[in-house]
Every structure is written in C-alpha cells, then in structure tokens.
Amino acid sequence: MAAAAGAAVAAATAEPDDGPLLPGSPVGRRAVCSRPYFVVLMVFAHLYVINVLGLLLFVHISSDDGGEREPRKEAPGPVQDAPPVLPVSSGHFDPQALPRLQGIKVGHKQKLQLVPNKIHVMKTLSLKPLLFEIPDFLSEDECKLIIHLAQLKGLQKSQILPTEDYEEAMEMIDISQMDIFNLLDHNQDGQLQLKEVLTHTRLGNGRWMTPESIREMYAAVKADPDGNGVLTLEEFKQLNIRDFHKYMGSQKVKMSDLVRNSQHTWLYQGEGAHQVMRSIRQRVINLTHLPPEIVEQSEPMQVVRYDQGGHYHAHMDSGPVFPETACSHTKLIANESAPFETSCRYVTVLFYLNNVTGGGETTFPIADNRTYEELSLIQNDVDLRDTRKHCDKGNLRVKPLQGTAVFWYNYLPDGEGWVGDVDEYSLHGGCLVTEGTKWIANNWINVDPNKRRQLQFQEEMARYTNSENEDQSEWTVDKSYSNVHVEL
C-alpha cells in the first residue's frame, strides 16, 4: 500500500521531464482529501459537460461540408512567400482567443503549407482527444540530425530506481489512514477492490503496480486475511502503513518494473539555436496557429530513446489546474503560492525520428470512447494503461514512421476561446519496444488555463527578454538550456 498511499498524497503535477511521473502527478479525480476539494471537482465535472456540448455545437456550426479544406484564413499561418524561419516575436501577447484546429471527423484530411513550396496533408486520427497525424513533417536528414545532437548532448535515464528518500518523504506527509481509505474507495462502498487501488497507484514510488504485485504485497504484510483481493474498512484499520513501506523497500526493482524505461535529453530551440531546431519550432507555430510568443516561451525539444524493452505506461502530459495547483511555467512569475504544480501542456507535438523494427507504437487506450470512467480502464486484471502487456487492447495505436508527427490537445476548450479542463481521453503511452531502438522527440506548448496568469507571464517574459540586463534575461524559459547552443 506504499504505492497507493504515495499516489494518494502525491497530488496533481506533471513530471518536469516528460509527463506525470514525479511527485505531484494527477492521480485521479480526488487528489486531496477534503470536502471543499470534492466540491471543486463537482464544479469541474459540470463544466466538462458544458464544454463538450459547446465544442460539438462549434464543430456543427463551423463545418459546412465534410470535404477537404484549407486552414482557416483568419488564423495566423504561413503564406507562400514566407521564409522557412520567421524572426522571433517581440514577446508582446495580444489577449486573443487561442486558435484551435478542427478535426471534422476521423479520417478527414486537410492540406497544410508549413514550409514554402511544399504541401503537407494532415489526417484526423480521433476527436477525443483531438488528434492529428502529419506524414513527412520532418525530413530524413532532419531526423538524423536531431538524434545526432541528442547523442552529443548526452542522454540520462528518464526515471531512476526508487530510493530511500521515498519512505522519508512519506513519513513527512500528514494524512490519516482514514483519509487514505476514503480517497482510494472510489465508489464509496466501504471496500477497496484491486482496481480501485491500482487506479491510484500510477505514481507510488515509481514502480508500476499490477494486480499480481498488489496481491503479493497483501500476502507479504498479511493485509488480506481471506485472500479475496478486497480490503474492508476494518481490515484496513488494522494495517500499519509502514509495513508496506518496508515491503516495497525490500523488493529488488528492475527498469522494466518502473512506469517508464527510456533515456532523454533536451535540445535548445531559442535564439541562436541550430537552424534546423529553429525551423522546426517555426513549423510548429505554423501547424498549431498559436501565437509565436506562446510557442517560443514553451519548453525546449525533448528527445527520447527507447531501447529494446523500453516502454512508457499510459499517462497524461498535463494535470488539472484546481485551486490547489499552479502551472510550472507561470507559478514563479505570478508570485502565487500553491501546494502543488503541474506542467500545463496545452498541446503535445510528437515526432518519430526513426522506423522501429518491432513494437514501439503510441497507444491511446480510450480514444473516441463514448464515455470515460477511470475504473473501467481495469477489467478482469486487464489494465489498459499497461503498455508492456495490453497495448493491443487499446482503441488506437499509431505506428512510428520516420518523419511523421502527431499532435493533440491535452485540454478541452473552456467555451470562451481559452484553455478549459483536461481532456481525459488524451491518456496515452509508449508500447513495449520488442526489437530495435525507438527515437522520438516532443515539443510541448505551455498555456495556463488561468488566462490572467498567462497574460502576466507573457508580459513579464517580454520585459525580461528585451532587457539588456544579463541577470534579468536569465528568466527566459530556454535560457537554462542555452549551454546546448555551445555544443551545437
């Protein structure tokens, strides 16, 4: 139960490297054991329904036919004579509604001009989440260059093995055993089923928990006397949570046991970066139609390598922003205190850098499901989030093809042209690489759902970027990665 307890209190932030894996990732709808928090969640649930209805109405009004169409003329985008790399924006942000592409329907194709003298075709893969595929987004030479630059920079493990620091951190958390039980008891029936515990063990202490590993843990600490895999409230009260910590600490952990098994590094894309890196960033601006200021002040490119046996269990790239959370990129500028933070990644653009010999697909287990229910992800010991065992059971799998890009929105619209609630259908993961090596790259575009904070962030970034004071210019997002420029 150490894993369950850890997930219960880790709360809603996303891993600063690649996704919600380190302390603070989203762990379900009830991340804080407090009555006010439940009220907040209920409000967000109603807003979710309203936003979906608004989105359907918007699509209905905007689509006059199902045929192919050019990108919307009113949205900022490239023109025939535009250079492949445009100058960096001044940083002044016009508080306009964020452009959002239309999916129309699954299989719909749209023609795009992302670079001069070339037409790309973008295909809609799903509407929930709004997901697109663009073949030949990168050339073969560009893919090879990105891999080469990543190797020169040096890659590090994306997730390290659990350490004793986890137990020490757990002991510092002030949360009662009854609160833990109430959090895990999703349906509030006074019993903990295996799938309820598994739903809240996405984090734990970094290990991926399975029905088998939960049963083994129960047996080791004598938590389930009748062996039925269900813990009653009375059985739970008799437990010593520290026994679970000790058990978890005594188990030998392999990389394949972790939530993810990969290596990664970051590549600088700001002013003065390699021309290919700048060109790709401009292409992303042209693709998404988002204001250049927002894209330029988002995260650098992350390059990830999965060797044979590599995987990344299903996760979301961003977490919900409740009153108890703040976005990582705006928290410092806004000077607001919040107990938890998350990487507010409005858009994910994923690039496949090579053809994978075996496995390595990107899975979206619940893409275009009619409804979403967290517990339904685990049925009869089949966990759809488990990308090592059950990738073939997901709704959608994208095969990695060199040069292809896929991009999707991690948040729904709020009905007023801004970022709304997290799109739970954006749950995705990297399937097990069964043969060869898989190389991908990610561009995340960060937008705070709190519009006021985002505008304040843009204003501050513009001021620091334009300042001649070197100390102030260090505030720019890419500045901490500027050492990569030297290596390039």
Side-chain angles (χ1 to χ4, degrees):
M1 190 62 63
V9 296
T13 68
E15 176 190 357
D17 286 344
D18 185 20
L21 291 177
L22 294 183
S25 266
V27 292
R29 295 183 179 82
R30 301 179 297 158
V32 176
C33 300
S34 66
R35 183 175 180 181
Y37 197 75
F38 294 148
V39 174
V40 171
L41 296 181
M42 290 302 295
V43 172
F44 269 78
H46 289 299
L47 287 176
Y48 171 83
V49 175
I50 294 172
N51 291 342
V52 171
L53 292 176
L55 175 63
L56 293 175
L57 180 61
F58 174 77
V59 172
H60 175 72
I61 294 174
S62 303
S63 56
D64 51 3
D65 60 54
E68 295 187 2
R69 61 186 64 202
E70 299 294 327
R72 290 174 292 175
K73 294 182 179 179
E74 69 274 16
V79 296
Q80 181 67 35
D81 297 328
V85 179
L86 299 180
V88 179
S89 166
S90 63
H92 177 69
F93 178 63
D94 182 16
Q96 59 182 334
L98 296 174
R100 189 178 178 95
L101 302 188
Q102 299 179 43
I104 310 300
K105 63 181 180 180
V106 174
H108 177 72
K109 295 182 178 179
Q110 306 178 52
K111 294 180 180 179
L112 307 174
Q113 186 177 2
L114 305 176
V115 295
N117 305 317
K118 182 176 181 180
I119 298 298
H120 287 84
V121 177
M122 180 176 70
K123 179 180 179 180
T124 302
L125 297 185
S126 78
L127 299 179
K128 298 190 305 183
L130 188 53
L131 169 67
F132 303 93
E133 179 183 56
I134 309 98
D136 301 318
F137 188 92
L138 301 177
S139 69
E140 180 179 355
D141 288 341
E142 288 174 328
C143 291
K144 290 180 178 179
L145 176 65
I146 294 172
I147 293 174
H148 180 63
L149 295 178
Q151 291 172 326
L152 287 176
K153 175 79 185 299
L155 288 84
Q156 61 184 7
K157 291 181 179 179
S158 300
Q159 184 182 353
I160 61 175
L161 294 172
T163 66
E164 295 178 358
D165 294 339
Y166 168 76
E167 183 174 348
E168 181 179 340
M170 287 300 303
E171 292 179 353
M172 295 175 60
I173 296 173
D174 183 19
I175 183 171
S176 71
Q177 200 151 325
M178 190 65 184
D179 283 339
I180 294 175
F181 184 89
N182 287 333
L183 175 62
L184 297 175
D185 187 12
H186 190 279
N187 58 12
Q188 298 295 294
D189 65 351
Q191 296 181 324
L192 297 184
Q193 285 81 24
L194 279 176
K195 63 181 180 180
E196 288 180 312
V197 176
L198 286 170
T199 294
H200 290 278
T201 55
R202 290 178 181 168
L203 302 180
N205 61 349
R207 309 179 198 198
W208 181 257
M209 304 302 291
T210 65
E212 295 78 12
S213 61
I214 294 290
R215 291 191 184 98
E216 291 173 1
M217 182 168 59
Y218 282 176
V221 300
K222 298 180 173 55
D224 183 19
D226 52 15
N228 64 352
V230 177
L231 298 185
T232 65
L233 176 58
E234 292 304 315
E235 290 174 338
F236 194 81
K237 286 181 179 179
Q238 301 302 315
L239 301 178
N240 186 338
I241 298 298
R242 290 189 177 184
D243 291 340
F244 290 102
H245 298 335
K246 293 178 181 178
Y247 170 80
M248 296 294 285
S250 67
Q251 299 301 297
K252 185 176 180 180
V253 183
K254 300 177 295 184
M255 290 301 296
S256 59
D257 296 328
L258 299 180
V259 173
R260 60 186 301 195
N261 181 8
S262 64
Q263 302 172 58
H264 75 273
T265 192
W266 300 92
L267 295 181
Y268 177 68
Q269 290 184 279
E271 280 278 16
H274 192 288
Q275 61 179 355
V276 169
M277 303 305 295
R278 293 295 291 152
S279 174
I280 293 171
R281 177 165 273 185
Q282 181 61 45
R283 233 171 291 171
V284 169
I285 294 173
N286 296 340
L287 170 67
T288 61
H289 294 172
L290 289 169
E293 298 89 337
I294 287 182
V295 181
E296 290 286 1
Q297 301 296 353
S298 292
E299 298 169 62
M301 175 183 285
Q302 186 193 60
V303 183
V304 188
R305 169 182 170 142
Y306 295 88
D307 293 320
Q308 184 169 329
H311 70 279
Y312 192 173
H313 290 304
H315 60 283
M316 297 180 190
D317 282 347
S318 283
V321 180
F322 296 129
E324 292 83 358
T325 64
C327 294
S328 301
H329 74 290
T330 60
K331 181 179 180 180
L332 186 60
I333 295 294
N335 195 27
E336 296 179 1
S337 61
F340 311 115
E341 63 183 72
T342 183
S343 297
C344 297
R345 293 162 171 166
Y346 177 53
V347 169
T348 295
V349 186
L350 184 153
F351 313 100
Y352 296 111
L353 304 180
N354 72 322
N355 297 314
V356 183
T357 307
E361 300 92 345
T362 303
T363 179
F364 293 81
I366 54 173
D368 283 328
N369 262 16
R370 294 184 62 183
T371 59
Y372 173 85
E373 171 55 45
E374 197 163 17
L375 289 183
S376 67
L377 294 170
I378 307 170
Q379 296 289 345
N380 300 321
D381 286 357
V382 174
D383 189 346
L384 292 179
R385 303 168 305 162
D386 192 327
T387 59
R388 288 183 58 84
K389 296 181 179 180
H390 304 303
C391 259
D392 60 325
K393 298 179 176 62
N395 287 355
L396 174 64
R397 294 192 307 280
V398 183
K399 183 177 180 180
L401 295 175
Q402 186 180 61
T404 294
V406 291
F407 93 94
W408 64 90
Y409 295 89
N410 294 302
Y411 291 86
L412 297 164
D414 69 348
E416 298 180 359
W418 201 253
V419 180
D421 202 3
V422 165
D423 188 346
E424 294 170 316
Y425 294 90
S426 66
L427 184 74
H428 66 284
C431 296
L432 181 70
V433 177
T434 58
E435 186 177 354
T437 301
K438 170 186 173 182
W439 285 90
I440 65 168
N442 295 300
N443 264 159
W444 286 294
I445 302 176
N446 305 106
V447 180
D448 194 323
N450 184 313
K451 191 173 184 178
R452 175 187 59 79
R453 285 200 302 247
Q454 180 66 32
L455 297 181
Q456 183 181 356
F457 170 76
Q458 294 295 146
E459 291 172 357
E460 289 298 308
M461 293 301 291
R463 183 166 67 88
Y464 283 116
T465 301
N466 295 331
S467 171
E468 295 181 357
N469 187 316
E470 178 63 21
D471 292 335
Q472 288 184 335
S473 66
E474 290 179 0
W475 283 89
T476 57
V477 174
D478 262 350
K479 191 67 177 179
S480 59
Y481 299 88
S482 59
N483 61 311
V484 184
H485 174 214
V486 177
E487 297 179 4
L488 301 186

